[in-house]
Amino acid sequence: MRVASVTLRNFRNYKEESMKPHPSINIITGPNAQGKTNLLEAIFYSLRGRSFRAERDKDVICWQSEQTVLQTEVEFASRTFVIQWKIREGNKKLLVNGVETPRSELDHFGVVLFCPEDLHLIKGSPQERRHFLDYDVGPLNPTYSRSWRQYARVLTQRNTLLKEIRDRRAAQEMLEVWDEQLYRHGARVIFLRLQVLKKLIPVARRIHHELTRGDEKLQAKYLSSLVLEPGLTEDQIYHIFDAASKKVRSMEIQRCQTLLGPHRDDLSLSINGIEAKTFGSQGQQRTVTLSLKLSQLELWNKEYGDYPVLLLDDVLFELDRNRQSMLLDKVLNRVQTFITTSLRAVSKKPSGVPGPFGR
Ligand SMILES: Nc1ncnc2c1ncn2[C@@H]1O[C@H](COP(=O)(O)OP(=O)(O)O)[C@@H](O)[C@H]1O
Ligand SMILES: [Mg+2]
């Protein structure tokens, strides 16, 4: 798939701007605070229905404006979609080919983002890695996002009920209804994460091996709050979740928190047998992240027969020359890529790479 055009109206610092990106590589350069990241954010927003950096939707609306409109044309081999977002404070609307559509319809529009904040993936809290599991890994299965949203909804409601039970405003038996749903959606989320990781990790390992010229062996392992053996079925995970959850129920009521489940899980990443978060240098962290991002592109292609759009915000020219050219080799003429940099010297263009905005 590729983005054939983007129009931004009152999005961040853009009043009215249109671009027709190049189908392969687009380099967006300029001094700081010009709106380079804002442009990537607009593309990401169009395809995902959320920003990767704004806490609230209203942050993307240009100051002194009431409404942002984003219009993006996305071409697949056989079809073109016009995606339009109308964003107002507390209200946003998606139209696809002029028809109001739920956001979940965008689940099959692929976008992979690599930005400096992604380095927290290695050294940051488990929450950062769960974000990676939910937003990057999960969508490699077409049903993941829906299951994850269902689980998140049940979790919120169950936590509210735990508080009501602790405050004696509700009876403990009421948990049963939510518990069944918690285990069902939770088992599904864990099962799907494990399934995707089983395919993704070998690809990431191979790419990492290549990027480090055979020096480093990347390993990744799912760390669950439940005791899980390899090869479990979804049903088996359900029963393990059920049994373990019952044992911590009184503590859950005390703390008003659901203590077990996919929202407490983590991913362990190691290089040559040592946890990446304890020793990884900045360069190594960047390479691990890059391997993971590139493996997403490849797996998406395997699963859906197409490449997602790749957004590289201030990360390409921070890589050494070797990794830069390996990355460009992988994406050139295959993956539509948007690269931002504030470095003045995009001196020697890698061969075959067109200039800014593909022209
Ligand atoms: N809601 C908004 N309305 C208008 N301008 C904004 C808004 N949010 C951010 N900006 C402006 O956008 C600029 C930052 O753009 P950004 O894309 O991050 O720059 P860079 O080119 O360095 O990536 C800043 O000048 C900031 O003031
Ligand atoms: Mg920027």
Side-chain angles (χ1 to χ4, degrees):
M1 60 170 268
R2 71 181 189 99
V3 172
S5 74
V6 198
T7 303
L8 302 84
R9 196 168 309 134
N10 296 325
F11 185 91
R12 296 278 192 188
N13 63 331
Y14 294 95
K15 284 270 169 243
E16 173 88 42
E17 197 71 54
S18 281
M19 78 180 271
K20 285 193 188 302
H22 190 276
S24 185
I25 292 180
N26 298 270
I27 301 179
I28 301 137
T29 59
N32 281 324
Q34 294 297 296
K36 299 184 296 298
T37 304
N38 292 345
L39 181 61
L40 297 200
E41 189 183 25
I43 295 171
F44 186 92
Y45 198 113
S46 299
L47 301 174
R48 279 286 148 273
R50 64 180 173 87
S51 160
F52 57 81
R53 60 177 183 166
E55 276 185 25
R56 299 155 303 181
D57 273 319
K58 80 174 179 80
D59 296 343
V60 304
I61 304 171
C62 182
W63 301 320
Q64 288 116 28
S65 301
E66 303 256 294
Q67 177 175 261
T68 285
V69 180
L70 286 177
Q71 185 160 311
T72 310
E73 248 180 300
V74 180
E75 283 180 7
F76 288 85
S78 56
R79 284 191 73 178
T80 300
F81 294 89
V82 180
I83 301 173
Q84 191 183 54
W85 280 98
K86 292 183 177 172
I87 310 155
R88 290 175 160 270
E89 187 171 352
N91 176 8
K92 60 180 169 183
K93 202 156 77 172
L94 167 66
L95 297 149
V96 177
N97 296 341
V99 180
E100 201 167 337
T101 307
R103 181 176 56 168
S104 55
E105 289 297 308
L106 297 182
D107 285 349
H108 63 285
F109 289 77
V111 56
V112 172
L113 165 76
F114 184 8
C115 64
E117 289 71 29
D118 281 318
L119 298 179
H120 300 314
L121 176 62
I122 315 293
K123 291 235 172 185
S125 65
Q127 201 177 347
E128 311 273 355
R129 284 177 294 281
R130 280 194 295 270
H131 189 279
F132 172 71
L133 289 170
D134 292 329
Y135 291 101
D136 289 23
V137 174
L140 290 159
N141 176 294
T143 63
Y144 182 85
S145 299
R146 187 161 42 91
S147 300
W148 179 76
R149 282 192 286 265
Q150 283 167 327
Y151 179 76
R153 211 168 18 244
V154 174
L155 184 66
T156 310
Q157 279 159 335
R158 187 177 188 269
N159 286 341
T160 307
L161 182 60
L162 286 169
K163 187 164 188 311
E164 288 172 1
I165 295 170
R166 190 202 57 182
D167 299 344
R168 302 191 189 288
R169 287 184 286 122
Q172 195 167 324
E173 293 72 49
M174 283 178 71
L175 268 178
E176 275 165 34
V177 184
W178 292 115
D179 282 354
E180 196 277 326
Q181 292 193 49
L182 187 84
Y183 310 149
R184 189 154 44 85
H185 296 306
R188 177 118 195 104
V189 166
I190 294 177
F191 179 75
L192 291 176
R193 282 181 183 175
L194 289 170
Q195 265 205 332
V196 177
L197 286 171
K198 204 165 145 190
K199 295 185 205 166
L200 188 75
I201 293 169
V203 183
R205 278 167 72 100
R206 177 173 49 70
I207 293 175
H208 193 79
H209 193 259
E210 223 178 289
L211 290 174
T212 60
R213 298 184 180 273
D215 285 346
E216 293 181 6
K217 204 165 137 193
L218 174 69
Q219 280 158 319
K221 192 166 177 281
Y222 189 72
L223 300 175
S224 182
S225 53
L226 304 170
V227 182
L228 302 177
E229 287 151 29
L232 294 172
T233 62
E234 194 179 324
D235 205 39
Q236 288 169 319
I237 300 174
Y238 176 102
H239 291 294
I240 292 171
F241 195 175
D242 181 349
S245 172
K246 292 216 161 74
K247 289 192 189 141
V248 296
R249 176 165 289 182
S250 56
M251 208 191 305
E252 288 189 321
I253 295 172
Q254 226 173 28
R255 298 201 201 161
C256 317
Q257 256 181 45
T258 300
L259 297 174
L260 300 174
H263 66 292
R264 302 292 281 229
D265 294 356
D266 195 357
L267 185 69
S268 137
L269 294 161
S270 56
I271 303 167
N272 296 341
I274 304 171
E275 273 259 38
K277 78 175 162 206
T278 58
F279 86 105
S281 68
Q282 274 248 327
Q284 278 173 317
Q285 291 174 50
R286 202 170 271 128
T287 309
V288 171
T289 312
L290 180 62
S291 306
L292 293 169
K293 300 283 169 177
L294 291 177
S295 63
Q296 275 168 251
L297 292 179
E298 293 214 1
L299 190 55
W300 184 281
N301 179 250
K302 249 192 217 160
E303 299 290 304
Y304 301 114
D306 196 4
Y307 279 104
V309 170
L310 177 65
L311 309 176
L312 300 173
D313 189 28
D314 284 336
V315 288
L316 178 71
F317 295 98
E318 284 68 9
L319 296 168
D320 65 37
R321 283 213 159 257
N322 237 336
R323 288 172 177 59
Q324 273 180 38
S325 59
M326 281 196 214
L327 189 156
L328 291 167
D329 266 359
K330 285 195 186 298
V331 299
L332 198 61
N333 297 327
R334 223 174 291 160
V335 182
Q336 190 184 32
T337 305
F338 297 82
I339 300 165
T340 68
T341 179
S342 57
L343 298 180
R344 226 155 281 205
V346 184
S347 51
K348 268 188 21 208
K349 284 191 309 195
S351 58
V353 176
F357 291 92
R359 276 183 279 263

